[in-house]
Amino acid sequence: IFFFFIIFICAVAASWDGTPSVRPGPVLVLTLDGPVPELAADDPLAKAFGGEAAFDLRDLTVGLGKAAADGRIAAVWVQVQSAGGSWATLQEIRNALMEFKESGKPVYASSDDYSMDEAAYFVASAADSVFAGPQSFFELNGFYLAAEFYQRLLEKLAVAPQIVRVGRYKSAVEPFERADLSPESEGQLSSLLQSWNEVFMARVAETGRMAAADLQRAAQDSAMISTRAAHRAGLIDGLLYRD
């Protein structure tokens, strides 16, 4: 039975035409659910059963470029369920959406019916219109980084780590030899957070929804936690459920 099943799968795969059929006027749906890797596995079984991403960053940017040049594609709908990953990747995704908009076609963005954090909104803000659920959470309360330390644990276990360290800005081993951040590590992490914050504020301000100074003030003082508050502030264009 297993042998004939394999033969059947191979026959179906051999007869399948990989070219998708696109009718005039469709909306290209881009679903972001988790980090977008730099390179995704080409193995379809790994994608189906191994939890691998369905596409990588190059697939995304190339696909948006093709959609911009394809006269059959009317718009792009970005469904941001979870926008994890590095900020460099999020910036590339956002830049690809901005380049798509240069074609004159609209971009719509929406979150799920649960929440939208800063990373998700950073990507979604590139859209012409941003929608979120009326009862969802909206996180705009600034950026943070957390660090873990194992020095006291190792002391309790009577474990002495063997560490080779050269230079002050080599913080990878600090969790094993310290119980707090070194001044050098704290300084570089603070610079990284400041860079993220400046990029976020500047890119969102470019959309015209809120000035950078007002956005910074909102993150520091009022700390929005609901989509209704974000809608009143002009950061979200409409409160709609997915259906």
Side-chain angles (χ1 to χ4, degrees):
I1 293 175
F2 179 75
F3 174 76
F4 284 109
F5 176 75
I6 295 298
I7 295 296
F8 174 76
I9 293 297
C10 292
V12 171
S15 61
W16 179 68
D17 183 8
T19 305
S21 176
V22 181
R23 295 177 297 175
V27 173
L28 175 64
V29 177
L30 171 59
T31 302
L32 299 178
D33 186 13
V36 178
E38 291 284 340
L39 183 64
D42 293 329
D43 184 359
L45 292 179
K47 294 181 179 180
F49 304 106
E52 296 288 341
F55 55 86
D56 54 33
L57 185 58
R58 186 178 184 279
D59 293 333
L60 188 152
T61 55
V62 171
L64 286 175
K66 291 180 178 180
D70 193 332
R72 297 169 297 179
I73 303 297
V76 164
W77 179 11
V78 186
Q79 299 178 357
V80 188
Q81 300 177 11
S82 174
S86 68
W87 275 94
T89 298
L90 296 180
Q91 289 186 67
E92 287 207 46
I93 296 174
R94 195 179 189 281
N95 291 340
L97 291 172
M98 297 299 293
E99 292 178 2
F100 175 86
K101 290 173 60 176
E102 295 178 359
S103 65
K105 302 175 184 180
V107 176
Y108 305 100
S110 66
S111 70
D112 55 28
D113 293 333
Y114 301 102
S115 65
M116 175 179 280
D117 58 9
E118 287 95 341
Y121 185 75
F122 178 73
V123 175
S125 65
D128 298 284
S129 300
V130 181
F131 303 97
Q135 305 298 330
S136 302
F137 290 102
F138 184 87
E139 182 180 344
L140 180 64
N141 53 7
F143 299 94
Y144 76 96
L145 283 173
E148 297 181 352
F149 298 93
Y150 313 109
Q151 181 195 39
R152 295 173 183 172
L153 171 64
L154 295 178
E155 290 176 350
K156 292 179 180 179
L157 297 175
V159 174
Q162 302 299 313
I163 295 173
V164 177
R165 179 177 179 177
V166 179
R168 295 181 300 163
Y169 291 92
K170 300 295 183 181
S171 58
V173 297
E174 284 190 359
F176 304 99
E177 65 175 358
R178 296 180 60 94
D180 57 359
L181 291 172
S182 67
E184 294 81 7
S185 181
E186 184 175 357
Q188 62 187 5
L189 292 178
S190 297
S191 297
L192 186 61
L193 281 175
Q194 183 179 356
S195 176
W196 291 353
N197 186 73
E198 291 176 353
V199 170
F200 177 85
M201 299 299 172
R203 297 291 85 80
V204 173
E206 288 176 355
T207 65
R209 292 184 172 92
M210 182 181 288
D214 296 332
L215 193 62
Q216 182 70 55
R217 192 177 304 109
Q220 290 180 340
D221 301 334
S222 57
M224 297 181 190
I225 59 173
S226 71
T227 52
R228 293 189 181 277
H231 183 238
R232 288 193 298 268
L235 295 176
I236 293 179
D237 300 291
L239 298 177
L240 299 172
Y241 291 106
R242 174 184 172 84
D243 54 357

